[in-house]
Amino acid sequence: MSNKLDTGVKNVRNVLRYTIGNGAVNELPKLINYHRENNNKIIFFLDDFFYESHNIHDLIGAQKNDEIIFISTLEEPSTEYIDKLIEYLHEKNYYNPSAIVGMGGGITMDVAKAVSNLLTNGGKAEDYQGWDLLKKPGIFKIAIPTISGTGAEATRTCVMINPKTGIKLGMNSDFTVYDQLILDPGLTKTVPRDQYFYTGMDAFIHCIESLNGSYRNEIGDAYSNQTISLCRDVFMSDDMMSDENRSKMMVASYLGGCAIATSYVGVLHPFSAGLSVVLGIHHCLANCISMRAMEEFYPLEYEEFWKMANIQKVEIPKGVCSDLSSKQYEQLYQSTIVHEKPLINALGETFKNALTKEKVIQLFRKM
Ligand code: NAD
Ligand code: ZN
C-alpha cells in the first residue's frame, strides 16, 4: 500500500497470559484457584454444546457454590440478553465473583466479556457500545475457545446486537481483553465440519480485509500475514480437521484476533453485518455468503476462498437475497452503509460513490 493511514490504535493491549497445547484445559482448576479470594464464587459460561458432557464439572474444576450458566448459540448475543444475565446474577447476589470463565465459541466468549465488564462498571450493556466507554477493569476473566476463527479470545470487543437501534457493536475497550487464555486444540475435535469452515474463514477474511485496507499497523500486518499463511495450510490440505490442522487453526484464530485489534475490516464485513441484522444469519456463515459478491473487491482472495470451500467440500448457501421485499433491500442497504470506518478503510472517503444503493442491492442479489 502506498498511502497507509494511521489506525488511531496507539498503545496496544494484548491478552495478559496464555497457555497452549493438547490437554491445556486441565490446567483450568489450578489457574482459577489462584483467584478464589474470600471464598467468592467463580461464574462459568459454557457453550450449551457442553450441557450433555457428563464430566464437565470435573474438567472445569467447579466447586459446590460456583455458578454454571449454559449459553445457547441459537441467536447471537443482544444487549437485552446481557442485561438479563446481569439481573439474574444480581438476584443471586453475585456482585463480585472472583473470576469469570467463558468456554465456547465467539458467542460464549463475548457473553463472558460483556458480563465481566458490566458487573464492575454498572449500568446497561448498550451504555458501553462504542469505543473506550468503560471506566473500570472488569472481573478477572479466562477464555477457553472451543472453535477457532473469530479471534474473540484476543480482541478488545464483545459483539452485541442492540434490538432497539438495530446496531451490531461491541464494548471496544482495553478492559474487554481477556486476562488469561487456555488454548487447547483437543477441544475443537467435535465441531461440525461446516461450522469449522465458516468460523475458520472469519480469521482468513479479517486478515485479507485488513491487508487490503488503508489503515495499517506494522505489527497488525505481520499478524495478518501469518494468520493467512496458517489458514492456507489448513484449508488447502486434504483434512482441515486433522490434529495438526486444528492446532494451527487455534493459533491462526488468536493471531487473527491480535491483527484485527490494530486494524479494520473492509467491504465484506459490512455486507455480512447486513445479512445478520436483517435476515438473522450468524456472523461466520454470513461472511461466507457475502464472499459470493466480493470478486470485484478482492479478486485473488475470492478465487482462493472458493478453492478452499471446494477442497473441503463445504456448501455455502446460495440465493438468500434473491427474492426479498423492497423494504428488506432498503434495510440491507442501510445496515451495510452504516459501517463507515471499514468502508473508508477499503474504498476511501468517497465510498458512497462506489456503493450506491442500486449497486449494494445488486451485490446482495448475487448472494
Ligand atoms: P458460536 O459461538 O456462534 O458457535 C457456533 C456453533 O459451534 C454453535 O452451535 C456451538 O454450539 C458450536 N460449538 C462450539 N464449540 C464446539 C465444539 N467444541 N464442539 C461442537 N460444537 C461446538 O461460534 P463462533 O463462530 O466462534 O462465534 C460467532 C460469534 O462471534 C458471533 O456472535 C460474532 O458476532 C462473534 N464475533 C466476535 C468477535 C470479537 O472480536 N469479539 C469477532 C468476530 C466474531
Ligand atoms: Zn468477523
Side-chain angles (χ1 to χ4, degrees):
M1 283 299 296
S2 51
N3 57 339
K4 288 189 185 181
L5 300 177
D6 190 328
T7 62
V9 182
K10 290 281 180 227
N11 196 9
V12 179
R13 165 138 183 202
N14 283 125
V15 164
L16 202 58
R17 289 170 178 276
Y18 57 77
T19 169
I20 179 163
N22 277 308
V25 68
N26 296 315
E27 292 174 43
L28 176 63
K30 191 179 79 196
L31 288 171
I32 45 175
N33 283 341
Y34 285 137
H35 293 274
R36 287 186 187 275
E37 300 141 10
N38 313 320
N39 283 329
N40 275 356
K41 299 161 192 359
I42 308 287
I43 302 175
F44 295 91
F45 291 103
L46 305 182
D47 185 305
D48 68 0
F49 168 77
F50 295 101
Y51 188 73
E52 301 287 339
S53 180
H54 59 275
N55 66 343
I56 191 72
H57 283 67
D58 292 340
L59 183 71
I60 62 180
Q63 296 187 0
K64 206 169 78 222
N65 293 322
D66 292 339
E67 180 75 18
I68 299 181
I69 300 177
F70 289 95
I71 301 296
S72 162
T73 52
L74 290 179
E75 284 180 21
E76 297 191 335
S78 68
T79 45
E80 282 178 353
Y81 176 66
I82 301 297
D83 292 337
K84 285 212 179 91
L85 281 174
I86 294 290
E87 249 173 64
Y88 169 80
L89 293 172
H90 282 170
E91 271 164 24
K92 297 196 89 174
N93 247 332
Y94 294 155
Y95 284 87
N96 189 23
S98 298
I100 287 185
V101 177
M103 177 169 173
I107 291 180
T108 309
M109 289 189 281
D110 279 0
V111 166
K113 285 169 157 182
V115 168
S116 154
N117 283 337
L118 271 190
L119 279 177
T120 54
N121 283 270
K124 299 273 183 209
E126 68 176 10
D127 301 341
Y128 304 102
Q129 279 187 298
W131 277 265
D132 302 307
L133 300 172
L134 292 158
K135 300 279 179 281
K136 299 181 200 166
I139 304 291
F140 179 89
K141 56 187 178 300
I142 303 182
I144 310 170
T146 63
I147 179 170
S148 306
T150 65
E153 64 275 26
T155 62
R156 67 195 297 278
T157 189
C158 49
V159 185
M160 300 167 298
I161 295 178
N162 186 331
K164 278 190 278 176
T165 59
I167 287 178
K168 206 178 165 193
L169 186 62
M171 301 175 179
N172 284 273
S173 162
D174 281 355
F175 297 137
T176 304
V177 181
Y178 272 103
D179 301 290
Q180 170 81 57
L181 286 189
I182 298 180
L183 301 173
D184 185 341
L187 293 171
T188 64
K189 222 177 225 168
T190 47
V191 176
R193 278 183 63 81
D194 284 4
Q195 185 66 54
Y196 180 90
F197 182 85
Y198 305 149
T199 298
M201 275 300 144
D202 200 25
F204 178 78
I205 293 170
H206 286 154
C207 294
I208 60 149
E209 289 193 278
S210 139
L211 286 175
N212 279 290
S214 308
Y215 293 105
R216 301 286 280 280
N217 172 296
E218 280 87 348
I219 292 184
D221 285 1
Y223 280 134
S224 288
N225 280 314
Q226 184 60 21
T227 302
I228 290 172
S229 159
L230 288 164
C231 288
R232 283 185 184 133
D233 287 356
V234 171
F235 294 108
M236 293 289 188
S237 76
D238 296 342
D239 179 7
M240 64 181 177
M241 292 188 72
S242 67
D243 287 351
E244 188 190 357
N245 280 338
R246 281 185 294 96
S247 178
K248 281 187 177 175
M249 203 47 233
M250 197 158 255
V251 176
S253 179
Y254 172 70
L255 296 183
C258 294
I260 208 64
T262 65
S263 58
Y264 296 98
V265 286
V267 189
L268 188 147
H269 266 76
F271 278 83
S272 170
L275 293 178
S276 295
V277 170
V278 181
L279 302 177
I281 302 175
H282 284 207
H283 178 69
C284 298
L285 176 57
N287 284 347
C288 293
I289 295 173
S290 301
M291 195 49 118
R292 291 195 178 281
M294 292 296 127
E295 188 171 10
E296 64 188 271
F297 304 106
Y298 306 112
L300 297 175
E301 296 84 355
Y302 171 92
E303 283 285 317
E304 223 176 354
F305 174 90
W306 292 105
K307 192 170 174 193
M308 294 192 273
N310 274 336
I311 293 175
Q312 302 307 328
K313 301 186 177 60
V314 172
E315 287 290 330
I316 311 294
K318 194 170 184 192
V320 295
C321 297
S322 56
D323 194 20
L324 302 178
S325 67
S326 44
K327 187 175 164 207
Q328 283 174 306
Y329 285 122
E330 174 67 28
Q331 286 172 331
L332 282 171
Y333 167 69
Q334 294 299 346
S335 51
T336 301
I337 214 79
V338 72
H339 294 276
E340 294 198 344
K341 202 93 187 184
L343 292 172
I344 293 173
N345 184 39
L347 304 171
E349 294 283 349
T350 57
F351 70 89
K352 283 187 182 157
N353 297 342
L355 290 181
T356 61
K357 194 187 290 184
E358 292 67 36
K359 175 73 182 178
V360 169
I361 293 174
Q362 186 202 344
L363 289 167
F364 273 114
R365 282 183 184 278
K366 282 193 178 186
M367 299 177 194

